[in-house]
Amino acid sequence: MSDADGRRSKAAHIRRLLETEGDAVEENTIGFNRGRYESVADLEDYEELKSEARAIKENAIERLPELIDELTATVEDNGGTVYLADDAADANRYIREVASEKDADRLVKSKSMTTEELEVNEALEADGVDVVETDLGEWVLQVADEAPSHIVAPAIHRSEADIARLFNERFNPEEPLETAEELTAFARERLGRLIREADVGMTGANFITADSGTIALVTSEGNARKSAVVPDTHVAVAGVEKIVPSVEDLSPFIELIGRSGTGQDITSYISLLTPPVESPVVDVDEPDVAFADRDDDREFHLVLIDNGRMAMREDDQLRETLYCIRCSACANSCANFQSVGGHAFGGETYSGGIATGWEAGVHGYDSAAEFNDFCTGCSRCVNQCPVKIDIPWINTVVRDRLNRGGEAGQFEFLVEGLTPDEEPGGIDLQKRLFGNYEALAKLGSATAPVSNWLAAAGPARTVLERVAGVDSRRELPEFKRETLRDWFESRGSRVDAADAKREVVLYPDTYTNHVDVDRGKAAVRVLEALDVRVRIPAVPESGRAPLSQGMIDTADERASRVYAALAEHIDAGRDVVVVEPSDLAMFRREYEKLLPEASFERLREGSYEVLEYVYGLLENGADADALGGADAEIAYHSHCQQRTLGLEPYTTTVLEEVGYDVLESDVECCGMAGSFGYKSEYYELSVDVGDRLREQFTEPEARDRIVAASGTSCEDQLGSLLERDAVHPVELLDPRRRSGR
Amino acid sequence: MTVDVQTTRERFEESLADLEVPVTRTEPTDLESTLEEIVREPVIGTPLEFDAVSLPNWIDDAPTPATLEAATTSVTSASLGIADYGSVVLPARPDGSEQVSLFPELHVPILRESDLVPDMPTAIDRLGPVLRDGGSAILATGPSATADMGALVRGAHGPKAVHVVLLEDGETDE
Ligand code: SF4
């Protein structure tokens, strides 16, 4: 399949999912998300709990071999058995043996992603064992013969009406089922019977404590409890990473997991079962024997799965994946996931933000490759993860490794100069194009307006779409002949060194320098109005563009050059002011991975988002009257990375201080997300995500407002969604906008 | 300290109110009449783990699989209550309290005011030794629920309703 065909079929797949599953997924994930925001807001020490949870996981994974031994001894002392399985086949073989020794006709299962990973159902069914999923959502999927689309709510993509149709067709009940209540009652009745007559119960484990051998199960329905204690044999299946040292370590996770996932403060049941449990068996063959009079001989098997995990533990980049408690917050807070769900945004088993790490680790890179691109690196999930995993970084690393595993490009002749030396030739043309935006922008400005005419011309767009997958429905950025640096050089600084309160370096990011020169000029005038002396030296692109395409070496090299260009300024006491939030996020987040620690710290501490900086100046006595402002209404969309850094309040506060009435968007992302929205295979998804923002900004209270956005790509996206131009907030402060306020 | 017990209890009651779970406070001597008002027949239970009170004799406290199936209400004792969450800790015992608390439509956990703890870390600290000793317990918060059928429904596999009975026990016995 050619690249263009591949893109077309991917786009068709996404379109189909948007149409069929998109609405249900959107409603549910946004509901979970809202619940999460409310629930964690009630938690006084949320940040501390997250740090505690992370520290426990770091320690547990570090000590994993030792904990496996301790747990094994504990469980065996309690009278259970432990089997450490290398891979899926090994685990399945053991589980089948247990079932056959018990002569099991039926095994009831409580939901477990780890058993999905093993495909244990298929293995047991091949032996003639009737395997029944007892979690209602999972059972729906079993009836429909479908794969989960979410790690917590597996049937999230199905609506009530959908499930009713399925049950009525499949079970033909006397009275057709309609409501969620009726469906639940029907399932409860039917599954209750199946559980009572089961020979073996199988559960997963959210956590296992090495000191007591306790299996902690986080559920709401009660089916895990029934599956574990009704039959006399319990098989618990868990990845080795689920072990924590002690019972006391459970506390922060219990407080975080429900809130993070579905937004409940706590789920109905946290089962802490130390098997073999003392509870009596519910034996249908002895219906009249009192429980208290029974003397059951319970059997318990703990099957611990490696399946790639010990290798992940050795991998400096993938290790963090093992800290994951599978809460789904990363999926629920992901704008792309909200639109398209786990059937697009997932591999063989796992879906959502962290799925790339899991799939790469347990199923290999091919499984991760299929959906790795869906992570736009917006970083919205970063603050939502209860164990503080840098999920976008894992996605970037996997993308980089995928690039390296690829075959040599077939358009080599077209793209000379588009692949830096550090990168392998296997990167596809689309990635090279977006990853080297700086080179294009330089060329674009140098040859503008010819470059812009060319780019806009029909035949060129067709070629661009066919060869590099740049969607022709997108307006391309128009390069300015005079860059911001050119302009500033000929204009010079308007604040004398002697009068200056502060001196700053305005970072000329590629877009501000070559395309949206106006917002750069506005930034200069705003800073100068507050008595700041500005310099705009030549500084290379931050590395954001190549990083987003998984070109880590190139980004690394850019980071060094940026640091080299800025270090002397920082040493001279000049602050670095950044207009584009995604570049500031590089300096404050990603550079930690790319620069020596001391360099990273210095740059991080010396750099500011432009409105954050203006806020600081005003706080320190600068005169807001020198700025532009008006008694006008603004609809403001912050930027994903800016929000992750907690910076958006500076913008809203400053805008309000100069007289604007600000309404802020509350959607996760605009959908454009840098180069993502330009790619033809993702165009429709990008627009669908953007639609949530469009809806908010076309509601009566917003629709007549001036639209402002802090990010380049958000501005572009809003411009096309709303058919009116968006401006950067700094332009609203431009002294030239001064009104009679 | 009476003051602390007060606040913890109030917090517990408040959390249960948020969950729409009714709670009735009662003197040990009034337990029987309190239960008469709450339960719906047929009712089963397991012996309470408290010295001061026991189940009234009209509650079948030796359930079997057959009576478990038939019961509408179950009454069991809880070992702890967690004020921050409105959770009750249900120990699993050889007498079947785990199943009994799960199968019937209405579950009535009984716990002593003196067994209320303010927060999760305290509850887990108390449970540590119990679990290390081979014990099992459920932290139960409100009724069983599911959202898997397209809307939130109570009573998925477990009780549709929970009614907490809080035994006043004057001074704490600790
Ligand atoms: S990566 Fe973090 S947010 Fe995502 S499922 Fe795992 S623990 Fe939850």
Side-chain angles (χ1 to χ4, degrees):
Chain A
M1 191 160 32
S2 75
D3 286 354
D5 286 345
R7 282 192 281 267
R8 248 194 306 278
S9 79
K10 190 157 201 169
H13 179 57
I14 293 171
R15 192 178 316 121
R16 199 159 48 242
L17 288 171
L18 284 172
E19 283 162 8
T20 53
E21 303 187 350
D23 290 349
V25 171
E26 175 170 0
E27 196 188 316
N28 289 317
T29 49
I30 289 177
F32 289 164
N33 233 9
R34 197 177 305 119
R36 175 165 44 78
Y37 285 128
E38 285 164 12
S39 173
V40 300
D42 292 343
L43 212 49
E44 251 169 64
D45 41 5
Y46 180 46
E47 291 302 321
E48 266 163 58
L49 275 176
K50 289 200 291 185
S51 305
E52 210 184 313
R54 178 165 176 107
I56 292 168
K57 276 292 188 183
E58 277 181 12
N59 170 39
I61 297 303
E62 175 74 35
R63 291 172 49 202
L64 191 53
E66 176 197 326
L67 291 178
I68 294 175
D69 290 344
E70 185 187 341
L71 174 66
T72 306
T74 315
V75 171
E76 285 171 359
D77 277 354
N78 289 346
T81 53
V82 177
Y83 185 73
L84 186 59
D86 289 339
D87 55 20
D90 189 15
N92 287 340
R93 188 185 44 71
Y94 181 83
I95 295 165
R96 287 166 56 196
E97 268 169 32
V98 172
S100 101
E101 267 164 38
K102 300 303 297 181
D103 268 334
D105 295 321
R106 179 178 303 132
L107 177 144
V108 283
K109 264 184 79 198
S110 162
K111 176 182 168 289
S112 141
M113 289 308 290
T114 311
T115 58
E116 298 278 343
E117 178 187 321
L118 304 179
E119 300 187 4
V120 75
N121 294 21
E122 288 75 2
L124 285 165
E125 279 158 3
D127 290 347
V129 180
D130 178 25
V131 180
V132 180
E133 295 288 350
T134 61
D135 172 87
L136 264 41
E138 195 69 37
W139 188 54
V140 167
L141 298 185
Q142 191 177 30
V143 171
D145 195 18
E146 251 185 1
S149 65
H150 189 269
I151 53 178
V152 168
I156 197 176
H157 57 283
R158 284 186 164 259
S159 65
E160 185 176 309
D162 233 8
I163 301 171
R165 209 173 307 124
L166 173 73
F167 279 17
N168 290 330
E169 265 172 33
R170 178 76 168 67
F171 301 112
N172 207 5
E174 278 166 33
E175 284 288 312
L177 303 163
E178 274 172 29
T179 63
E181 275 83 20
E182 289 167 3
L183 292 164
T184 303
F186 177 81
R188 174 191 170 118
E189 217 283 305
R190 201 176 170 98
L191 289 171
R193 199 157 7 100
L194 295 170
I195 294 172
R196 276 197 301 281
E197 290 164 5
D199 305 296
V200 177
M202 182 182 282
T203 69
N206 292 82
F207 306 93
I208 315 175
T209 54
D211 63 341
S212 68
T214 303
I215 309 292
L217 294 164
V218 178
T219 72
S220 276
E221 296 184 356
N223 62 308
R225 293 170 65 186
K226 280 187 176 166
S227 303
V229 305
V230 170
D232 68 0
T233 303
H234 176 194
V235 180
V237 180
V240 285
E241 83 284 2
K242 302 283 183 71
I243 308 174
V244 294
S246 72
V247 174
E248 285 74 10
D249 292 324
L250 294 173
S251 185
F253 297 109
I254 293 175
E255 299 211 64
L256 287 168
I257 194 166
R259 295 177 199 266
S260 303
T262 51
Q264 296 161 278
D265 292 353
I266 189 170
T267 59
S268 304
Y269 304 121
I270 308 283
S271 300
L272 304 171
L273 304 175
T274 311
V277 293
E278 288 177 292
S279 295
V281 169
V282 182
D283 189 345
V284 277
D285 295 330
E286 299 184 328
D288 298 319
V289 176
F291 290 122
D293 296 337
R294 297 184 63 92
D295 184 18
D296 289 309
D297 195 13
R298 282 187 174 273
E299 220 178 277
F300 173 64
H301 300 264
L302 173 60
V303 184
L304 289 174
I305 316 288
D306 177 344
N307 207 29
R309 288 165 175 77
M310 291 313 242
M312 287 163 86
R313 184 174 166 270
E314 301 292 320
D315 183 323
D316 284 343
Q317 309 296 342
L318 286 188
R319 183 180 309 122
E320 286 202 28
T321 309
L322 298 172
Y323 305 163
C324 170
I325 61 170
R326 324 259 180 106
C327 70
S328 80
C330 51
N332 299 338
S333 60
C334 172
N336 282 347
F337 191 97
Q338 289 175 357
S339 275
V340 82
H343 283 153
F345 208 123
E348 287 176 44
T349 305
Y350 299 99
S351 65
I354 195 64
T356 290
W358 279 120
E359 289 296 330
V362 305
H363 289 129
Y365 288 86
D366 282 351
S367 178
E370 283 172 36
F371 62 96
N372 176 265
D373 267 2
F374 282 93
C375 174
T376 62
C378 78
S379 79
R380 288 296 295 149
C381 55
V382 168
N383 294 348
Q384 327 301 334
C385 174
V387 280
K388 302 194 190 180
I389 298 177
D390 193 343
I391 300 156
W393 179 256
I394 292 176
N395 285 319
T396 302
V397 167
V398 171
R399 194 168 298 163
D400 182 81
R401 292 181 186 177
L402 286 165
N403 286 340
R404 285 166 200 284
E407 287 161 42
Q410 38 185 322
F411 294 104
E412 218 66 62
F413 62 96
L414 263 177
V415 291
E416 213 149 304
L418 270 188
T419 310
D421 293 342
E422 292 76 16
E423 303 295 341
I427 303 176
D428 74 28
L429 179 59
Q430 189 188 55
K431 289 197 159 89
R432 282 184 240 181
L433 186 77
F434 288 115
N436 290 282
Y437 185 62
E438 186 182 29
L440 276 186
K442 278 188 184 150
L443 191 71
S445 281
T447 55
V450 175
S451 56
N452 295 322
W453 294 336
L454 255 182
R461 289 310 301 263
T462 314
V463 172
L464 212 49
E465 171 147 337
R466 189 167 49 77
V467 178
V470 178
D471 201 281
S472 51
R473 286 163 288 191
R474 282 284 178 203
E475 233 173 86
L476 291 179
E478 239 178 75
F479 298 112
K480 298 290 185 307
R481 183 77 199 217
E482 186 187 44
T483 65
L484 177 67
R485 288 195 59 239
D486 298 340
W487 169 80
F488 189 75
E489 229 155 71
S490 54
R491 166 189 178 274
S493 166
R494 298 276 161 93
V495 175
D496 276 348
D499 303 334
K501 289 242 167 60
R502 314 253 345 153
E503 203 178 1
V504 304
V505 170
L506 184 70
Y507 173 66
D509 68 86
T510 311
Y511 200 86
T512 310
N513 195 33
H514 292 274
V515 181
D516 197 351
V517 177
D518 286 346
R519 74 177 188 181
K521 292 179 183 173
V524 170
R525 287 190 290 260
V526 163
L527 291 164
E528 289 182 344
L530 302 175
D531 300 324
V532 174
R533 186 174 160 87
V534 179
R535 295 181 181 225
I536 311 185
V539 190
E541 192 263 340
S542 68
R544 168 65 65 193
L547 194 79
S548 72
Q549 308 305 319
M551 296 155 70
I552 296 182
D553 280 351
T554 306
D556 192 291
E557 176 263 346
R558 294 280 160 79
S560 303
R561 282 172 47 209
V562 167
Y563 184 71
L566 292 174
E568 195 184 333
H569 293 286
I570 298 175
D571 289 344
R574 289 166 208 138
D575 302 313
V576 178
V577 172
V578 183
V579 181
E580 176 57 37
S582 58
D583 287 317
L584 182 73
M586 284 297 282
F587 297 175
R588 289 215 186 150
R589 280 178 29 85
E590 281 81 6
Y591 275 16
E592 188 175 6
K593 309 278 202 303
L594 306 174
L595 289 178
E597 195 180 324
S599 313
F600 164 65
E601 297 284 341
R602 248 160 88 217
L603 183 52
R604 185 184 61 177
E605 257 135 54
S607 53
Y608 304 85
E609 196 261 345
V610 59
L611 272 275
E612 178 192 21
Y613 198 73
V614 169
Y615 173 90
L617 292 168
L618 297 179
E619 281 292 285
N620 284 299
D623 182 10
D625 288 340
L627 299 176
D631 184 11
E633 295 188 319
I634 309 289
Y636 169 56
H637 177 66
S638 183
H639 177 278
C640 301
Q641 275 134 355
Q642 187 188 18
R643 284 198 275 167
T644 298
L645 295 170
L647 296 173
E648 81 280 18
Y650 297 118
T651 300
T652 48
T653 309
V654 170
L655 289 176
E656 277 162 7
E657 200 164 330
V658 300
Y660 293 109
D661 175 87
V662 185
L663 176 108
E664 204 188 329
S665 70
D666 60 11
V667 298
E668 293 300 334
C669 176
C670 73
M672 188 65 186
S675 57
F676 185 81
Y678 284 105
K679 296 181 177 176
S680 61
E681 62 271 43
Y682 304 124
Y683 172 81
E684 275 148 289
L685 173 54
S686 157
V687 170
D688 189 81
V689 169
D691 215 42
R692 290 191 277 273
L693 181 55
R694 187 192 56 76
E695 264 171 37
Q696 201 186 353
F697 279 3
T698 48
E699 272 171 14
E701 60 163 338
R703 85 175 146 231
D704 298 321
R705 290 171 177 254
I706 300 167
V707 181
S710 295
T712 305
S713 39
C714 318
E715 251 181 74
D716 286 349
Q717 175 87 325
L718 275 163
S720 43
L721 290 170
L722 299 173
E723 284 163 12
R724 54 194 158 129
D725 281 340
V727 295
H728 188 281
V730 82
E731 294 176 73
L732 298 170
L733 302 177
D734 191 337
R736 295 195 173 175
R737 256 188 193 252
R738 200 159 335 165
S739 73
R741 89 190 131 98
Chain B
M1 285 210 316
T2 337
V3 178
D4 274 356
V5 172
Q6 276 302 87
T7 13
T8 305
R9 194 202 73 220
E10 279 164 12
R11 174 95 185 94
F12 182 65
E13 288 176 341
E14 202 180 279
S15 301
L16 286 169
D18 289 347
L19 296 164
E20 292 171 37
V21 169
V23 49
T24 305
R25 286 176 76 202
T26 185
E27 297 273 355
T29 45
D30 296 337
L31 178 63
E32 175 158 7
S33 56
T34 303
L35 287 175
E36 268 166 7
E37 303 216 331
I38 297 171
V39 307
R40 295 195 296 270
E41 298 280 354
V43 50
I44 55 172
T46 50
L48 304 183
E49 300 282 313
F50 314 128
D51 292 338
V53 285
S54 49
L55 282 184
N57 55 19
W58 46 268
I59 295 181
D60 168 12
D61 69 353
T64 64
T67 56
L68 178 70
E69 243 1 277
T72 303
T73 306
S74 68
V75 184
T76 67
S77 50
S79 61
L80 288 175
I82 306 169
D84 275 357
Y85 290 92
S87 313
V88 294
V89 175
L90 308 172
R93 296 203 183 89
D95 60 17
S97 54
E98 155 70 332
Q99 291 90 335
V100 166
S101 67
L102 184 62
F103 280 62
E105 242 180 64
L106 168 65
H107 176 227
V108 183
I110 303 180
L111 75 159
R112 298 181 297 195
E113 272 181 25
S114 56
D115 288 327
L116 292 177
V117 296
D119 50 28
M120 190 58 71
T122 315
I124 296 294
D125 278 349
R126 299 263 189 112
L127 281 168
V130 178
L131 300 181
R132 276 188 283 273
D133 206 26
S136 299
I138 313 297
L139 309 189
T141 313
S144 146
T146 185
D148 284 345
M149 294 295 171
L152 184 75
V153 180
R154 295 181 154 198
H157 283 272
K160 272 198 180 73
V162 171
H163 191 135
V164 174
V165 172
L166 201 49
L167 282 177
E168 297 176 36
D169 45 8
E171 291 301 303
T172 69
D173 55 7
E174 282 169 52

